[in-house]
Amino acid sequence: MERTTALVIGAGFGGLAAALRLRARGYDVTVIDRQDQAGGRAAVHRRAGYTFDAGPTIITAPFLIDELFDLFGRRSEDYVTLRSLEPWYRIRFDDGRHLDYSGDMETMLDEIRRFEPRDVDGYRRMLQLTEKIYKVGFEQLGDQPFHRLSTMTRLIPALGRLRSDRSVYRQTAHFIRHPLLRQALSFHPLLVGGNPFTTTSIYSLIHYLERTGGVHFAMGGTAALVEGLVRLLDEQGVSWRLGETVETILTEGPPGGGRRARAAGVRLANGETLRADLVVANADAPFVYRNLVPAEHRRKWSNPRIDSRKYSMGLFVLYFGATRTYPHLAHHEILLGPRYRGLINDIFERQHLAEDMSLYLHAPTRTDPSLAPPGCESMYALVPVPNLQADIDWSVTGPELRDRLVERLSQTVCPDLERHIVEDFYVTPENFRGDLLSHFGAGFSVQPVLTQSAWFRFHNRSEELRDLYLVGAGTHPGAGVPGVLTSAKVLDRLLDEEEHGRPRRRSTVPVSQGSSATESGTFERPAAARAPLSEQSAATIMAQRAKTFNFAARLLPREVRDEVAILYRFCRTVDDLADELPDPREGRRWLDQVYADLGSGHSDLPPVADFLELARRRDVPREYARELVRGLRSDLGTVRFATVDDLVRYCYQVASTVGVMMCRLLRTTAPDAVLYAIDLGIAMQLTNIARDVREDLAEGRIYLPASWVSPSVVERGVAGDAAASADTYGAVERLLTLAEDYYRSADIGIELLPPAARWAILTASRSYEAIGHGIRATGPGYWRKRVYTSTQLKVWESLRSAGKLSLRALTTNLGIRAARSRRHREQLHRPLVALPSASLWRHDSPLRRPAMSDPIGSSAR
C-alpha cells in the first residue's frame, strides 16, 4: 500500500532534514516536539539583549544545507547567511602558547613550523591519509544504509587499508612528533562525543571535511539556520505540533515472533492519537527504544543491552554575557589544561570529575556583534564532564563548577570577568537527560568507537518495528551537524530502496513560476524530480534519480561528470514532463514549449537553458534533443506497438539520441562510436521496457509488440491469469534476448571511446544488463516486485569491467589477440545493421527521415 503520511518525532537538525526530505518525496508531514521551539540541541536562549546558541556552533559541510534547499528549487543564501571563519579555532595550551588552527594552508603550515619544523611534512602526509578516509568514510559510505551486516563485512578490506583499528590520537601520533601538536590535531572526536584515544581513526575524516568545506558561522547564531529551515518547511506546507510530548509509538500487528508489527502513529501525553503511514524518530535512539516502543515489540534492544553501550561524555555549559568586550579572542577558543590523556581518561573511563579542566569558549560576537548589546559580549563556555553514569550530585557540583570556570576564564582569556559577567546560567548532564531526553545525560548519544559505528550503531531503519525510522546523533553516520543531516539522507536512500516497484508518488506542492502553471495556477509536480523547473543542482538530481547512471558517472573525469549531469537533468526533466503530470494535455503543452526552445536555442527553463549552453560549448546537435522530446511526447497517449520495428524505432528516439549526445560529452572522435552508442541506447531502453511492464500498463502503455503478444493477453497476464502470464513472460524473454544482442554489439564499440570513458560506459552497460538477468532469474510474475541492481552488484560489475578492460589492454600491448581478433576488427565497422529496422537510420541522419520529420503536434501513433 502506498504511504502518504509521515510523523517526525523531534525537531532537531536530523528531524528538520528528515521532514524536508519526506515532504520532497510527496509525504504529508507533521513534526512533533516537546519543546516550544524547533532546533532540539540547536535551540536558542535570549535574555536581556543577549542571544545564546544552546548547542552546536560550528557549521561545516555547508553543501549538506544547500541540498535541503535544492530539494525545492530554493537557494540557502536567501534563508540564512553563513560567514566563513578565520582562524577556525585558536587552541591555547596550558604553558601559554597557542596555535591558530587555520583554513589557509600556508598559515597552518607556518603555525606547525613554529612548534616543530619536521612536523610540516608529517602534517602533509596525514592530510593525504585523511583525504582517503574522507572519500571512503564520508563521500561513499556516509549516506549509505547499514541495516545489513553484509554491508559492513564488505567494508573490512577498506577499513583495514585505512587502518581503522587505530585511534584518532594514534594515527595523529604516527605522523606528528610534537606532543602539543598531537593534542591540537587529535581533538576532533570530542566534537562528536568521542574519546580521541579510543575513537576509530575513521573519524579523522572530520579534519578533511573542514578542509573541504571550511568552518562557518550562521549570522544571527545557529538558531538562524534553524529558523531558515523552519521557514522552508512552512512554505512547503509541513504541519507543526510544538510543545507536545509523544507518550508512545502506536503499533499494528502481532507482538513478538513472526512478522514484525508496524509503527502506525503516536499517542501524545494528552491522550490524542495521530495516525501515519511512516514514523521517523529524531529523539535520542536509546530513549526511543526504552520509552516509546512498547516492550512487547522489542526483541533486540532490551534495556540491559541499551545500557551496555558506551556513551559519550556529558557537558557542562555556562552561558553568560559580559558588559565589556574581549577583542583579542577568536570566535572559537579551545583552552587545554595541563593534562590531555589523563583528563580524558578521567572523563570517559574513570567517570571522575577532576580538579583541572579543558574547555571550549564560544565568542560569537567576534563575528556577529548583534548577538549582544553594544559594547558587550555574548559567550558560552563548555566543559566536557562525565555523564550520569558517574556518581556526581550536580545540584551541589553545578554551582561549584560554575565558580571554578569563571575563575579560570578570568585568569586566562577574559580578565576581570567576575566583575563584568551578567545574565549567566548553566546546564549540566541532568538537563540533557531531563530536557533533551538523552540517555545518561550524554551530550552526543553513543560513543563513535569502531564497535559502535556503521552496522554496530542504532540502525536508521528500526529492527523492531516496520515503518519506524531513526535519524540523529545515535544513528549512522553519527553526531555533529554534518552527521545528523546525513542521517536524513540515509532515510532517503532507505525509502528509495523500499519503494522499488511502487508507483512514483506525486507531490501537490505549487510550482513557483506562475507563468508556467495551468489555468488553476498550480499543477502536481513529481516529488522525486524536485520540480522539473527548479534550479536544483544537476549533480544532485542525477545522484537522487539515476542510481546506476550516477554510479557509473563517478568513474568519469570530474569535468565530464559535471557535463553529463547537466545532460541527465535535461533528459530527466522532459521525461518527467511526459510521465509525471496528471493531465496529459499539460504534459504536451510543456513538451511543445521545450521543443520550441530547443529549436530557437533559448529558454527560460533552467534545465533546458543549461543544456543549450552545454550544447553550444560541446557542439551537441540540438536536433537529437528534439528527437528525444518527440519520442517522449508519444508516451502521452495510449501506446501500442504493432511490430518490433516500431518498438526499436521508439527506443532510438527516447534512448539512443541520449547516447549520441553523450558521445560529444565523452570527447569521442571515432565516427563509428555513434553507431555503437545507438546500439547501447536501444539495449538499455529494451531492458527498461522489460522491467516496467506492470508500471507502464497502469499508465495505459504496452510496449511489447502485438506481433509477439496481444495487449489483452498482457493485461490479463499482469493481473494474474496463469496462461496469459506465461505468454507475457515469453514475450519479455524475447525482448531480453533482443536487448542482449544489442548489448553485445555495443560492447564492441567500447574500444572506440577515449580510455578515460571506457570503464564508466562498460560499467553502466553491465549494470543495466544485470536487470535482465534478474528478470530471468525471477521468472514469470517478476513484475510483482520491481527488479533493480543493488549497489553491491554495481560494484561487482564495475570490478568485472575494470578487469575486462585491463585484459584487453594487455593483449593489445602484447600483440597476442586471440582468433577472434579478425572478426572483432571487422565488427568494429559493422554495428548491428542486421537487426530489425536498424538499417533505417544507421548510415544516414535520422533527422532527415520522412517518418520522423512530421510536426511535434501530430500523433505518433
Side-chain angles (χ1 to χ4, degrees):
M1 182 176 67
E2 186 177 5
R3 298 178 293 192
T4 60
T5 58
L7 296 175
V8 177
I9 306 171
F13 273 127
L16 298 177
L20 285 167
R21 291 185 177 277
L22 288 168
R23 186 68 186 115
R25 299 180 75 89
Y27 284 89
D28 292 327
V29 182
T30 299
V31 181
I32 313 166
D33 198 290
R34 65 199 301 266
Q35 305 295 331
D36 59 4
Q37 61 174 305
R41 282 170 166 78
V44 62
H45 303 295
R46 293 187 173 92
R47 296 194 178 190
Y50 294 90
T51 299
F52 306 102
D53 280 326
T57 59
I58 300 168
I59 303 298
T60 56
F63 56 87
L64 292 174
I65 298 168
D66 293 341
E67 286 179 4
L68 297 175
F69 290 92
D70 284 346
L71 294 174
F72 303 95
R74 303 294 196 269
R75 301 186 311 162
S76 62
E77 53 265 35
D78 293 334
Y79 292 75
V80 64
T81 300
L82 296 182
R83 182 70 53 81
S84 179
L85 301 182
E86 183 59 35
W88 290 343
Y89 318 99
R90 178 163 292 151
I91 302 171
R92 297 182 184 272
F93 303 103
D94 193 61
D95 65 1
R97 288 186 284 179
H98 77 273
L99 179 141
D100 277 354
Y101 198 104
S102 175
D104 179 78
M105 190 62 176
E106 289 306 315
T107 300
M108 186 65 188
L109 295 178
D110 287 342
E111 289 289 291
I112 292 173
R113 194 175 287 112
R114 287 197 297 110
F115 287 81
E116 173 54 75
R118 292 177 297 174
D119 282 340
V120 169
D121 179 63
Y123 178 73
R124 287 196 179 103
R125 289 185 288 111
M126 187 182 84
L127 197 60
Q128 291 173 351
L129 177 59
T130 59
E131 179 182 8
K132 294 177 182 177
I133 294 172
Y134 170 82
K135 289 185 180 300
V136 173
F138 190 86
E139 289 188 345
Q140 296 181 25
L141 305 175
D143 61 356
Q144 296 298 317
F146 275 86
H147 56 290
R148 297 188 182 94
L149 180 59
S150 58
T151 308
M152 187 74 184
T153 56
R154 281 192 294 273
L155 282 179
I156 292 175
L159 295 175
R161 287 192 301 271
L162 297 173
R163 293 307 307 270
S164 301
D165 57 308
R166 288 175 174 167
S167 68
V168 170
Y169 182 85
R170 185 180 171 196
Q171 176 180 281
T172 303
H174 180 76
F175 295 100
I176 303 298
R177 295 178 173 86
H178 198 285
L180 295 183
L181 291 178
R182 287 178 174 180
Q183 296 179 31
L185 297 176
S186 66
F187 77 87
H188 284 93
L190 292 166
L191 300 178
V192 293
N195 178 345
F197 295 93
T198 61
T199 297
T200 169
S201 60
I202 285 292
Y203 284 85
S204 64
L205 65 82
I206 299 173
H207 186 91
Y208 196 80
L209 177 65
E210 292 174 337
R211 288 275 156 214
T212 301
V215 174
H216 305 264
F217 179 69
M219 299 299 287
T222 308
L225 175 55
V226 173
E227 291 165 2
L229 295 173
V230 168
R231 177 182 155 200
L232 179 62
L233 285 161
D234 285 339
E235 292 172 355
Q236 306 310 319
V238 169
S239 301
W240 298 92
R241 299 294 295 266
L242 298 179
E244 304 272 10
T245 298
V246 173
E247 184 176 79
T248 190
I249 294 174
L250 302 175
T251 62
E252 289 180 352
R259 184 173 173 81
R260 292 178 300 153
R262 64 172 294 270
V266 302
R267 183 171 64 246
L268 303 179
N270 62 12
E272 183 180 359
T273 60
L274 302 176
R275 294 278 173 175
D277 302 313
L278 181 151
V279 177
V280 178
N282 181 221
D284 190 37
F287 179 87
V288 171
Y289 284 120
R290 287 178 60 99
N291 300 92
L292 300 185
V293 176
E296 64 269 24
H297 294 291
R298 285 197 279 148
R299 292 176 291 184
K300 176 179 179 180
W301 292 113
S302 63
N303 288 357
R305 183 168 188 174
I306 291 172
D307 294 347
S308 69
R309 304 286 89 185
K310 288 181 175 292
Y311 288 85
S312 74
M313 74 285 198
L315 301 174
F316 179 91
V317 189
L318 173 66
Y319 305 88
F320 61 95
T323 56
R324 56 158 290 185
T325 61
Y326 296 94
H328 59 282
L329 293 177
H331 187 115
H332 299 301
E333 295 262 354
I334 297 174
L335 283 68
L336 296 175
R339 298 183 304 148
Y340 187 56
R341 185 192 294 266
L343 179 61
I344 288 175
N345 188 60
D346 281 344
I347 296 169
F348 284 90
E349 306 302 330
R350 295 182 60 210
Q351 296 285 308
H352 167 67
L353 184 62
E355 288 299 316
D356 57 327
M357 69 177 73
S358 292
L359 63 96
Y360 159 65
L361 179 65
H362 182 226
T365 33
R366 296 276 61 72
T367 305
D368 187 354
S370 70
L371 298 176
C376 300
E377 297 274 18
S378 172
M379 293 187 274
Y380 83 52
L382 179 152
V383 181
V385 297
N387 62 37
L388 294 180
Q389 291 173 297
D391 184 16
I392 298 174
D393 184 349
W394 283 103
S395 65
V396 175
T397 304
E400 295 174 351
L401 186 54
R402 180 265 180 204
D403 293 342
R404 288 169 49 201
L405 181 53
V406 172
E407 181 182 4
R408 170 78 184 278
L409 291 170
S410 295
Q411 293 173 350
T412 53
V413 294
C414 298
D416 300 322
L417 180 60
E418 299 101 326
R419 295 192 300 109
H420 296 281
I421 188 170
V422 294
E423 298 301 329
D424 68 290
F425 60 99
Y426 60 81
V427 298
T428 74
E430 291 283 6
N431 298 97
F432 276 80
R433 178 172 63 183
D435 298 336
L436 300 172
L437 307 180
S438 180
H439 196 45
F440 293 130
F444 304 89
S445 196
V446 292
Q447 287 186 42
V449 295
L450 185 59
T451 54
Q452 293 186 166
S453 299
W455 182 80
F456 298 108
R457 212 165 177 84
F458 289 99
H459 291 186
N460 302 83
R461 183 170 69 191
S462 173
E463 304 100 310
E464 310 289 18
L465 295 175
R466 293 179 293 120
D467 296 327
L468 173 62
Y469 300 83
L470 290 85
V471 296
T475 66
H476 174 70
V481 176
V484 297
L485 291 179
T486 303
S487 70
K489 294 183 69 175
V490 178
L491 166 67
D492 221 355
R493 288 190 178 276
L494 285 168
L495 295 178
D496 276 343
E497 177 183 303
E498 293 183 7
E499 290 173 6
H500 277 295
R502 297 180 181 180
R504 282 181 287 184
R505 193 166 12 286
R506 294 185 175 96
S507 170
T508 56
V509 183
V511 173
S512 58
Q513 293 91 334
S515 61
S516 301
T518 63
E519 290 86 350
S520 62
T522 63
F523 74 94
E524 288 189 319
R525 64 185 181 182
R530 323 303 186 200
L533 303 183
S534 76
E535 295 188 11
Q536 183 188 15
S537 72
T540 300
I541 290 178
M542 187 167 74
Q544 293 173 345
R545 299 297 307 278
K547 305 304 182 195
T548 299
F549 195 57
N550 184 60
F551 179 87
R554 293 178 183 176
L555 307 177
L556 292 168
R558 180 58 184 266
E559 179 186 1
V560 177
R561 185 165 70 244
D562 291 343
E563 293 178 349
V564 167
I566 293 173
L567 174 61
Y568 177 82
R569 181 172 71 153
F570 165 75
C571 297
R572 181 78 268 168
T573 297
V574 294
D575 183 72
D576 285 338
L577 292 175
D579 194 44
E580 298 281 1
L581 301 186
D583 185 351
R585 294 172 299 178
E586 186 64 18
R588 292 189 186 97
R589 286 195 289 269
W590 276 108
L591 289 175
D592 288 352
Q593 181 63 55
V594 173
Y595 189 83
D597 289 351
L598 291 171
S600 67
H602 302 282
S603 180
D604 294 329
L605 309 181
V608 182
D610 289 348
F611 167 75
L612 288 170
E613 174 58 31
L614 175 65
R616 282 189 286 270
R617 189 166 67 247
R618 289 295 169 202
D619 194 26
V620 177
R622 299 198 307 270
E623 291 303 322
Y624 288 103
R626 299 184 90 197
E627 190 70 28
L628 168 66
V629 174
R630 291 170 54 78
L632 291 172
R633 194 181 188 281
S634 68
D635 283 337
L636 290 170
T638 299
V639 177
R640 298 289 187 272
F641 289 117
T643 68
V644 71
D645 282 19
D646 297 332
L647 172 60
V648 174
R649 180 181 289 105
Y650 166 79
C651 292
Y652 165 80
Q653 284 184 293
V654 300
S656 295
T657 51
V658 181
V660 173
M661 293 186 283
M662 277 283 294
C663 284
R664 296 298 179 100
L665 304 187
L666 298 177
R667 284 60 164 171
T668 304
T669 57
D672 285 347
V674 171
L675 305 181
Y676 293 103
I678 290 173
D679 281 343
L680 182 56
I682 293 172
M684 288 180 163
Q685 188 61 24
L686 290 173
T687 303
N688 271 335
I689 291 169
R691 176 181 61 184
D692 297 337
V693 168
R694 184 190 67 174
E695 288 87 345
D696 290 333
L697 179 62
E699 300 291 338
R701 306 167 187 162
I702 298 178
Y703 294 97
L704 296 175
S707 59
W708 289 359
V709 60
S710 70
S712 62
V713 170
V714 175
E715 293 172 358
R716 296 199 313 274
V718 175
D721 181 277
S725 179
D727 289 343
T728 301
Y729 182 69
V732 169
E733 282 196 305
R734 293 181 67 181
L735 200 68
L736 293 175
T737 299
L738 183 63
E740 287 163 1
D741 288 338
Y742 275 103
Y743 280 119
R744 297 289 76 76
S745 176
D747 187 31
I748 296 169
I750 293 293
E751 293 189 18
L752 298 178
L753 297 174
R758 293 173 188 170
W759 188 17
I761 300 305
L762 189 57
T763 295
S765 175
R766 289 286 187 269
S767 298
Y768 240 82
E769 190 175 7
I771 295 173
H773 298 160
I775 293 173
R776 289 186 186 276
T778 305
Y782 73 89
W783 42 73
R784 297 191 187 97
K785 185 175 182 180
R786 196 168 194 253
V787 177
Y788 70 100
T789 50
S790 65
T791 300
Q792 300 94 305
L793 184 56
K794 291 170 190 170
V795 172
W796 170 243
E797 295 297 346
S798 174
L799 295 175
R800 286 184 60 203
S801 299
K804 182 169 185 177
L805 292 172
S806 298
L807 183 60
R808 283 185 181 179
L810 177 64
T811 55
T812 299
N813 292 338
L814 296 179
I816 54 170
R817 284 278 185 181
R820 63 181 285 273
S821 62
R822 183 175 61 187
R823 179 173 61 87
H824 176 82
R825 285 193 297 270
E826 291 173 352
Q827 285 179 319
L828 282 177
H829 299 286
R830 271 180 45 208
L832 265 178
V833 294
L835 284 178
S837 76
S839 59
L840 292 178
W841 57 76
R842 291 314 175 102
H843 299 294
D844 61 346
S845 169
L847 308 172
R848 296 175 183 170
R849 293 199 314 281
M852 294 189 179
S853 60
D854 53 311
I856 190 170
S858 65
S859 175
R861 302 180 175 76

